[in-house]
Amino acid sequence: VMLSSTAQSGGLLPWLIQAGLTFRAGPDPDGFQAAIVGIGNDAGDLDSLAASIAIADWQPVGGCGGRPLWVPIAPFPRSDFRLRQDACLLFNHIGFSFDGAGAPEALLHLDDVDAATARRWSDAGGLGLALVDHNACVPGVRSLLGDRVVAIVDHHSDEQKHTAGGGGG
């Protein structure tokens, strides 16, 4: 029986915090050497946020055997989270703490990631994207995280931007 990441780590908040810390620290020779970012559409609406967390949560866990770190990232700046009142209500309801910018402390946002960290993941073992609630990598995400799309989970019309195996296209 495969448990989700949150079930193995004791809950959603501890898992999100650990995934974020691990991603920001970069690859580890004794742990994760590749990462896959679950990221929703650039509007960052509630279904995109929930889907990015869900796809990252339901992946195999462990830094050995070549399995990548899966981490959800909100596709907008941390300061913009407060503009999404439905997401604020839900995240507050399920127990998230919010920072001074009005964003959940445990959730990485696009502006929490620097280009050097993304490059280290790419160079070490690969940095992939799992697009959720959209199927075309937007320029802001592409410029920071690259365009190696490894998964798409979407209900919109396919824009055929990522048709080659392994992403990019």
Side-chain angles (χ1 to χ4, degrees), residues 63-122:
C64 55
R67 290 182 287 190
L69 169 71
W70 283 74
V71 61
I73 296 180
F76 51 83
R78 182 169 282 283
S79 61
D80 286 356
F81 192 91
R82 69 177 68 206
L83 303 174
R84 293 155 175 86
Q85 287 299 299
D86 56 346
C88 289
L89 287 169
L90 177 65
F91 280 67
N92 183 57
H93 178 74
I94 60 175
F96 279 72
S97 297
F98 287 74
D99 60 20
E105 292 174 331
L107 180 63
L108 284 182
H109 290 69
L110 206 52
D111 59 344
D112 293 329
V113 179
D114 61 78
T117 300
R119 203 170 22 261
R120 284 197 326 267
W121 280 107
S122 278

Coordinates of all heavy atoms in Angstrom, one line a residue, residues 63-122:
G63 N 14.4 9.8 -1.1 CA 15.4 10.4 -1.9 C 16.3 9.4 -2.5 O 17.3 9.7 -3.1
C64 N 16.0 8.1 -2.3 CA 16.9 7.1 -2.9 C 16.2 6.4 -4.0 O 15.0 6.6 -4.3 CB 17.3 6.1 -1.8 SG 15.9 5.4 -1.0
G65 N 17.0 5.6 -4.8 CA 16.4 4.9 -5.9 C 16.0 5.8 -7.1 O 15.2 5.4 -7.9
G66 N 16.5 7.0 -7.1 CA 16.3 7.9 -8.2 C 15.0 8.6 -8.2 O 14.6 9.3 -9.1
R67 N 14.2 8.5 -7.1 CA 12.9 9.1 -7.0 C 13.1 10.6 -6.8 O 13.9 11.0 -5.9 CB 12.0 8.5 -6.0 CG 11.5 7.1 -6.4 CD 10.7 6.5 -5.4 NE 11.5 6.2 -4.2 CZ 11.1 5.5 -3.2 NH1 9.8 5.1 -3.1 NH2 11.9 5.2 -2.2
P68 N 12.4 11.5 -7.5 CA 12.5 12.9 -7.3 C 11.7 13.4 -6.1 O 10.8 12.8 -5.6 CB 12.0 13.5 -8.6 CG 11.0 12.5 -9.0 CD 11.5 11.2 -8.6
L69 N 12.1 14.6 -5.6 CA 11.4 15.4 -4.6 C 10.2 16.0 -5.4 O 10.4 16.6 -6.5 CB 12.2 16.4 -4.0 CG 11.5 17.5 -3.2 CD1 11.0 16.9 -1.9 CD2 12.4 18.7 -2.9
W70 N 9.0 15.9 -4.9 CA 7.9 16.6 -5.5 C 7.5 17.7 -4.5 O 7.3 17.5 -3.3 CB 6.7 15.6 -5.6 CG 6.8 14.7 -6.8 CD1 7.6 13.6 -6.9 CD2 6.1 14.7 -8.0 NE1 7.4 13.0 -8.1 CE2 6.5 13.7 -8.8 CE3 5.1 15.6 -8.5 CZ2 6.0 13.4 -10.1 CZ3 4.6 15.4 -9.8 CH2 5.0 14.3 -10.6
V71 N 7.3 18.9 -5.1 CA 7.0 20.0 -4.3 C 6.0 20.9 -5.0 O 6.2 21.2 -6.2 CB 8.3 20.8 -3.9 CG1 9.0 21.3 -5.1 CG2 8.0 21.9 -2.9
P72 N 5.0 21.4 -4.3 CA 4.0 22.3 -4.9 C 4.5 23.7 -4.8 O 5.1 24.1 -3.7 CB 2.7 22.1 -4.1 CG 3.2 21.6 -2.8 CD 4.5 20.9 -3.0
I73 N 4.3 24.5 -5.8 CA 4.7 26.0 -5.7 C 3.5 26.8 -6.3 O 3.0 26.5 -7.4 CB 6.0 26.2 -6.5 CG1 7.2 25.5 -5.9 CG2 6.2 27.7 -6.6 CD1 8.5 25.7 -6.5
A74 N 3.1 27.8 -5.5 CA 2.0 28.7 -6.0 C 2.6 29.5 -7.2 O 3.8 30.1 -7.0 CB 1.5 29.6 -4.9
P75 N 1.9 29.7 -8.3 CA 2.5 30.3 -9.5 C 2.5 31.8 -9.5 O 2.3 32.4 -10.5 CB 1.6 29.7 -10.6 CG 0.3 29.6 -9.9 CD 0.6 29.2 -8.5
F76 N 2.6 32.4 -8.3 CA 2.5 33.9 -8.3 C 3.2 34.4 -7.0 O 3.6 33.5 -6.2 CB 1.0 34.4 -8.2 CG 0.2 33.7 -7.1 CD1 0.2 34.1 -5.8 CD2 -0.6 32.6 -7.4 CE1 -0.5 33.4 -4.8 CE2 -1.3 31.9 -6.5 CZ -1.3 32.3 -5.1
P77 N 3.5 35.7 -6.9 CA 4.3 36.2 -5.8 C 3.5 35.9 -4.4 O 2.3 36.0 -4.4 CB 4.4 37.7 -6.0 CG 4.2 37.8 -7.5 CD 3.3 36.7 -7.9
R78 N 4.2 35.7 -3.4 CA 3.7 35.5 -2.1 C 2.7 36.6 -1.7 O 1.7 36.4 -1.1 CB 4.9 35.4 -1.1 CG 4.5 35.2 0.3 CD 5.7 34.9 1.2 NE 6.1 33.5 1.0 CZ 5.5 32.4 1.5 NH1 4.5 32.5 2.3 NH2 6.0 31.2 1.2
S79 N 3.0 37.9 -2.0 CA 2.2 39.0 -1.6 C 0.8 39.0 -2.3 O -0.1 39.7 -1.9 CB 2.9 40.4 -1.9 OG 3.2 40.5 -3.3
D80 N 0.7 38.2 -3.4 CA -0.6 38.2 -4.1 C -1.6 37.2 -3.5 O -2.7 37.1 -4.0 CB -0.3 37.8 -5.6 CG 0.2 39.0 -6.4 OD1 0.4 40.1 -5.8 OD2 0.5 38.8 -7.6
F81 N -1.1 36.3 -2.6 CA -2.0 35.3 -2.1 C -3.2 35.9 -1.5 O -4.4 35.4 -1.6 CB -1.3 34.4 -1.1 CG -2.1 33.1 -0.8 CD1 -1.9 32.0 -1.5 CD2 -3.0 33.1 0.3 CE1 -2.6 30.8 -1.2 CE2 -3.8 32.0 0.5 CZ -3.6 30.9 -0.2
R82 N -3.1 37.0 -0.7 CA -4.2 37.6 0.0 C -5.3 38.1 -1.0 O -6.4 38.3 -0.5 CB -3.7 38.8 0.8 CG -3.2 40.0 0.0 CD -2.8 41.2 0.8 NE -1.6 40.8 1.6 CZ -1.3 41.4 2.7 NH1 -2.0 42.3 3.2 NH2 -0.1 41.1 3.3
L83 N -5.0 38.2 -2.3 CA -6.0 38.6 -3.2 C -7.0 37.5 -3.6 O -8.0 37.7 -4.1 CB -5.4 39.1 -4.5 CG -4.4 40.2 -4.4 CD1 -3.7 40.5 -5.7 CD2 -5.1 41.5 -3.9
R84 N -6.6 36.3 -3.2 CA -7.4 35.1 -3.5 C -8.2 34.7 -2.2 O -7.8 33.8 -1.4 CB -6.5 33.9 -4.0 CG -5.9 34.3 -5.3 CD -4.6 33.5 -5.5 NE -4.1 33.8 -6.9 CZ -3.4 34.9 -7.2 NH1 -3.1 35.8 -6.3 NH2 -3.0 35.0 -8.5
Q85 N -9.3 35.4 -2.0 CA -10.0 35.3 -0.7 C -10.6 33.9 -0.5 O -10.6 33.4 0.7 CB -11.1 36.3 -0.6 CG -10.6 37.7 -0.4 CD -9.8 37.8 0.9 OE1 -10.4 37.6 2.0 NE2 -8.6 38.2 0.8
D86 N -11.0 33.2 -1.5 CA -11.5 31.8 -1.3 C -10.3 30.9 -0.8 O -10.5 30.1 0.1 CB -12.1 31.2 -2.6 CG -11.2 31.3 -3.8 OD1 -10.1 31.9 -3.8 OD2 -11.5 30.6 -4.8
A87 N -9.1 31.1 -1.4 CA -8.0 30.3 -1.0 C -7.6 30.7 0.5 O -7.3 29.8 1.3 CB -6.8 30.5 -1.9
C88 N -7.6 32.0 0.8 CA -7.3 32.4 2.2 C -8.3 31.7 3.2 O -7.9 31.2 4.2 CB -7.5 33.9 2.3 SG -6.2 34.9 1.5
L89 N -9.6 31.7 2.8 CA -10.6 31.1 3.7 C -10.3 29.6 3.9 O -10.3 29.1 5.0 CB -12.0 31.3 3.2 CG -12.5 32.8 3.3 CD1 -13.8 32.9 2.5 CD2 -12.7 33.1 4.8
L90 N -10.0 28.9 2.8 CA -9.8 27.5 2.9 C -8.5 27.2 3.7 O -8.5 26.3 4.6 CB -9.8 26.8 1.5 CG -9.5 25.3 1.5 CD1 -10.6 24.6 2.2 CD2 -9.2 24.8 0.1
F91 N -7.4 27.8 3.3 CA -6.2 27.5 4.0 C -6.2 27.9 5.5 O -5.7 27.2 6.3 CB -5.0 28.3 3.3 CG -4.5 27.6 2.0 CD1 -5.3 27.5 0.9 CD2 -3.2 27.1 2.0 CE1 -4.9 26.9 -0.2 CE2 -2.8 26.4 0.8 CZ -3.6 26.3 -0.3
N92 N -6.9 29.0 5.8 CA -7.1 29.3 7.2 C -8.0 28.2 7.9 O -7.6 27.8 9.0 CB -7.8 30.7 7.3 CG -7.9 31.1 8.8 OD1 -6.9 31.2 9.5 ND2 -9.1 31.4 9.2
H93 N -9.0 27.8 7.3 CA -9.9 26.8 7.8 C -9.2 25.5 8.2 O -9.5 24.8 9.2 CB -11.1 26.6 6.9 CG -12.1 25.5 7.4 ND1 -13.0 25.8 8.4 CD2 -12.3 24.2 7.0 CE1 -13.7 24.7 8.6 NE2 -13.3 23.7 7.8
I94 N -8.3 25.1 7.3 CA -7.6 23.8 7.6 C -6.3 24.0 8.4 O -5.6 23.0 8.6 CB -7.3 23.1 6.2 CG1 -6.4 23.8 5.3 CG2 -8.6 22.7 5.6 CD1 -6.0 23.1 4.1
G95 N -6.1 25.2 8.9 CA -5.1 25.3 10.0 C -3.7 25.9 9.5 O -2.8 25.9 10.3
F96 N -3.6 26.5 8.4 CA -2.4 27.1 7.9 C -2.1 28.4 8.7 O -3.1 29.2 9.0 CB -2.4 27.4 6.4 CG -2.1 26.3 5.5 CD1 -3.0 25.3 5.4 CD2 -0.9 26.2 4.9 CE1 -2.8 24.2 4.6 CE2 -0.6 25.2 4.0 CZ -1.6 24.1 3.9
S97 N -0.9 28.7 9.0 CA -0.5 30.0 9.6 C -0.1 30.9 8.4 O 0.4 30.4 7.4 CB 0.7 29.8 10.5 OG 0.4 29.0 11.6
F98 N -0.5 32.1 8.5 CA -0.2 33.1 7.5 C 1.0 34.0 7.9 O 1.1 34.4 9.1 CB -1.4 33.9 7.2 CG -2.5 33.1 6.4 CD1 -3.2 32.1 7.0 CD2 -2.7 33.3 5.1 CE1 -4.2 31.4 6.3 CE2 -3.6 32.6 4.3 CZ -4.3 31.6 5.0
D99 N 1.8 34.4 6.9 CA 2.9 35.4 7.2 C 2.4 36.8 7.1 O 1.3 37.1 6.8 CB 4.1 35.0 6.3 CG 3.7 35.2 4.8 OD1 2.8 35.9 4.4 OD2 4.5 34.6 4.0
G100 N 3.4 37.7 7.2 CA 3.0 39.2 7.1 C 2.5 39.6 5.8 O 1.9 40.6 5.7
A101 N 2.8 38.8 4.7 CA 2.4 39.1 3.4 C 0.9 38.6 3.1 O 0.3 38.9 2.1 CB 3.3 38.6 2.3
G102 N 0.4 37.9 4.1 CA -0.9 37.3 4.0 C -1.0 36.0 3.2 O -2.0 35.6 2.7
A103 N 0.1 35.3 3.2 CA 0.2 34.0 2.5 C 0.5 32.9 3.5 O 1.1 33.1 4.5 CB 1.4 34.1 1.5
P104 N 0.1 31.7 3.1 CA 0.4 30.5 4.0 C 1.9 30.4 4.1 O 2.6 30.3 3.1 CB -0.2 29.3 3.3 CG -1.2 29.9 2.4 CD -0.7 31.2 2.0
E105 N 2.4 30.3 5.3 CA 3.9 30.2 5.6 C 4.4 28.9 5.0 O 5.5 28.9 4.5 CB 4.2 30.2 7.1 CG 3.9 31.6 7.7 CD 4.1 31.5 9.2 OE1 3.9 30.5 9.8 OE2 4.4 32.6 9.7
A106 N 3.7 27.8 5.0 CA 4.2 26.5 4.6 C 4.2 26.3 3.1 O 4.8 25.4 2.6 CB 3.3 25.4 5.2
L107 N 3.5 27.2 2.3 CA 3.5 27.0 0.9 C 4.5 27.8 0.1 O 4.5 29.1 0.3 CB 2.0 27.3 0.4 CG 1.8 27.2 -1.1 CD1 1.9 25.7 -1.6 CD2 0.3 27.7 -1.4
L108 N 5.3 27.2 -0.7 CA 6.2 28.0 -1.5 C 5.5 28.7 -2.6 O 4.5 28.2 -3.1 CB 7.3 27.0 -2.2 CG 8.4 26.5 -1.4 CD1 9.3 25.6 -2.2 CD2 9.2 27.6 -0.7
H109 N 6.0 29.9 -2.9 CA 5.5 30.7 -4.0 C 6.6 31.0 -5.0 O 7.8 30.8 -4.7 CB 4.9 32.1 -3.4 CG 3.7 31.9 -2.6 ND1 3.7 31.3 -1.4 CD2 2.4 32.3 -2.9 CE1 2.5 31.3 -0.9 NE2 1.7 31.9 -1.8
L110 N 6.2 31.4 -6.2 CA 7.2 31.5 -7.2 C 8.4 32.4 -6.8 O 9.5 32.2 -7.2 CB 6.5 32.0 -8.5 CG 7.2 31.7 -9.8 CD1 7.5 30.2 -10.0 CD2 6.3 32.2 -11.0
D111 N 8.1 33.5 -6.1 CA 9.1 34.4 -5.7 C 10.0 33.9 -4.5 O 10.9 34.6 -4.1 CB 8.6 35.8 -5.4 CG 7.5 35.9 -4.3 OD1 7.0 34.9 -4.0 OD2 7.2 37.0 -3.9
D112 N 9.6 32.8 -4.0 CA 10.5 32.1 -2.9 C 11.6 31.3 -3.5 O 12.5 30.9 -2.8 CB 9.6 31.1 -2.1 CG 8.6 31.8 -1.2 OD1 8.8 33.0 -0.8 OD2 7.5 31.2 -1.0
V113 N 11.6 31.1 -4.8 CA 12.6 30.3 -5.5 C 13.5 31.2 -6.3 O 13.1 32.1 -7.0 CB 11.9 29.3 -6.5 CG1 12.9 28.5 -7.2 CG2 10.9 28.4 -5.7
D114 N 14.8 31.0 -6.1 CA 15.8 31.8 -6.8 C 16.3 31.0 -8.0 O 16.3 29.7 -8.0 CB 16.9 32.3 -5.9 CG 17.7 31.2 -5.3 OD1 18.5 30.6 -6.0 OD2 17.4 30.9 -4.1
A115 N 16.8 31.7 -9.0 CA 17.3 31.0 -10.2 C 18.5 30.1 -9.9 O 18.6 29.1 -10.5 CB 17.7 32.1 -11.3
A116 N 19.3 30.4 -9.0 CA 20.5 29.6 -8.6 C 20.0 28.3 -8.1 O 20.6 27.2 -8.5 CB 21.4 30.3 -7.6
T117 N 19.0 28.2 -7.2 CA 18.5 27.0 -6.7 C 17.9 26.1 -7.8 O 18.2 24.9 -7.9 CB 17.5 27.2 -5.6 OG1 18.1 28.0 -4.5 CG2 16.9 25.9 -5.0
A118 N 17.1 26.7 -8.7 CA 16.5 26.0 -9.8 C 17.6 25.4 -10.7 O 17.5 24.3 -11.1 CB 15.6 26.9 -10.6
R119 N 18.7 26.2 -10.9 CA 19.8 25.7 -11.8 C 20.5 24.5 -11.1 O 20.9 23.6 -11.8 CB 20.7 26.9 -12.0 CG 21.6 26.7 -13.3 CD 22.3 28.0 -13.7 NE 22.6 29.0 -12.7 CZ 21.9 30.1 -12.5 NH1 20.8 30.3 -13.3 NH2 22.2 31.0 -11.6
R120 N 20.7 24.6 -9.8 CA 21.3 23.5 -9.1 C 20.5 22.2 -9.2 O 21.1 21.1 -9.4 CB 21.6 23.8 -7.6 CG 22.7 24.8 -7.4 CD 23.2 24.8 -5.9 NE 22.2 24.7 -4.9 CZ 21.6 25.7 -4.3 NH1 21.8 26.9 -4.6 NH2 20.7 25.4 -3.3
W121 N 19.2 22.3 -9.1 CA 18.4 21.1 -9.3 C 18.5 20.6 -10.7 O 18.6 19.4 -10.9 CB 16.9 21.4 -9.0 CG 16.6 21.4 -7.5 CD1 16.3 22.5 -6.8 CD2 16.5 20.3 -6.7 NE1 16.1 22.1 -5.5 CE2 16.2 20.8 -5.4 CE3 16.7 18.9 -6.8 CZ2 16.0 19.9 -4.3 CZ3 16.5 18.1 -5.7 CH2 16.2 18.6 -4.5
S122 N 18.5 21.5 -11.7 CA 18.6 21.1 -13.1 C 19.9 20.4 -13.3 O 20.0 19.3 -14.0 CB 18.5 22.3 -14.0 OG 17.2 22.6 -14.2

